[in-house]
């Protein structure tokens, strides 16, 4: 079955420290992967999609098919990065549906 | 584009009352999704539509929940009768697939429902 795993419920770092939010997926074909961010009491917003290979707000994510991972990274965390982060996998049968992980709360301390 | 528009933003109702949540997707998006978010259960997919047709409603918790999409620009999620355990934030999202590529969802701002 297709699945997205975010092993950490909470990740706490100090401002200026590097951040890596882990995401592993299970799917045998070519995945479509996304990262969403949700700031306190706001909507989920698309942060990154792997097909675009872009960097948003200093975050990057590289698809590693060998390790079936799509970890989100930022070299220097800022306090405003504190939020909930969700990794999502595009439905392999191309139904348009995304399969979300359980989310990781990132807390950046001053 | 104004994005995905949901109304109302907040709803407080008494147990047993009917509640209707509304969603206007992004024009041209042919998928529409309804999610519920709570601290205990996280983000749950309730139902989704493709070209106004319900595709998967297996996430709808009970018969008290129903959803419709009468046209490409409007969808409703109805709870009748409402119960305190339905209190949650309900998100609507829309998306499109272009040339076989899923470009991801755009979420609305959500409706915060409180049933007392």
């Amino acid at each position: 079955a297709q699945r997205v795993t975010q092993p950490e419920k909470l990740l706490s770092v100090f401002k200026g420290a590097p951040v890596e939010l882990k995401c592993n997926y299970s799917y045998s074909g070519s995945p479509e992967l996304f990262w969403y961010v949700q700031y306190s009491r706001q909507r989920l917003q698309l942060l990154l999609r792997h097909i675009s290979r872009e960097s948003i707000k200093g975050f990057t994510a590289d698809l590693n098919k060998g390790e079936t991972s799509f970890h989100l990274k930022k070299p220097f965390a800022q306090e405003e990065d504190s939020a909930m982060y969700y990794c999502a996998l595009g439905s392999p049968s191309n139904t348009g549906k995304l399969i979300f992980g359980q989310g990781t709360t990132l807390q950046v301390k001053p | 584009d104004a994005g995905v528009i949901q109304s109302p933003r907040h709803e407080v109702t008494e147990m047993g009352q009917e509640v209707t949540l509304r969603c206007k997707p992004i024009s041209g998006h042919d998928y529409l999704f309804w999610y519920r978010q709570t601290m205990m259960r996280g983000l749950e997919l309730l139902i989704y539509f493709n070209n106004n047709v319900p595709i998967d409603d297996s996430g709808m918790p009970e018969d008290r929940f129903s959803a419709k999409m009468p046209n490409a620009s409007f969808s409703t999620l109805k709870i009748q009768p409402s119960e305190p355990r339905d209190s949650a934030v309900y998100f609507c999202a829309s998306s499109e697939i272009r040339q076989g590529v899923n470009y991801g969802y755009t979420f609305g701002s959500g409706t915060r429902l409180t049933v007392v």
Side-chain angles (χ1 to χ4, degrees), chain A residues 25-52:
Chain A
Y25 66 91
S26 61
Y27 171 55
S28 56
S30 293
E32 294 171 323
L33 286 154
F34 307 82
W35 276 100
Y36 281 81
V37 60
Q38 185 179 29
Y39 301 102
S40 180
R41 299 176 77 86
Q42 294 187 26
R43 74 178 75 195
L44 281 80
Q45 302 172 49
L46 179 63
L47 184 61
L48 286 176
R49 46 186 169 220
H50 90 275
I51 58 171
S52 302

Side-chain angles (χ1 to χ4, degrees), chain A residues 19 47-48 54-61 72-78 81:
Chain A
V19 171
L47 184 61
L48 286 176
E54 57 203 337
S55 173
I56 304 292
K57 299 184 180 182
F59 285 97
T60 59
L72 184 67
K73 300 178 183 179
K74 185 170 183 176
F76 308 104
Q78 304 299 314
D81 296 328

Side-chain angles (χ1 to χ4, degrees), chain A residues 32 34 36 38 41-46 49 51 84 86 90-91 94-102, chain B residues 4 10 31 33 35 37 41 43 45 48 56 91 95 97 100-109 112:
Chain A
E32 294 171 323
F34 307 82
Y36 281 81
Q38 185 179 29
R41 299 176 77 86
Q42 294 187 26
R43 74 178 75 195
L44 281 80
Q45 302 172 49
L46 179 63
R49 46 186 169 220
I51 58 171
M84 175 76 94
Y86 289 94
S91 176
N94 220 12
T95 63
K97 186 175 74 172
L98 296 183
I99 299 166
F100 284 85
Q102 289 298 102
Chain B
V4 176
H10 302 274
Y31 287 90
F33 304 83
Y35 281 84
Q37 186 178 43
R41 294 186 298 268
L43 198 60
L45 175 63
Y48 78 98
D56 183 357
F91 286 104
S95 73
I97 294 180
V101 176
N102 186 339
Y103 283 82
Y105 294 177
T106 300
F107 282 85
S109 297
R112 186 171 296 274

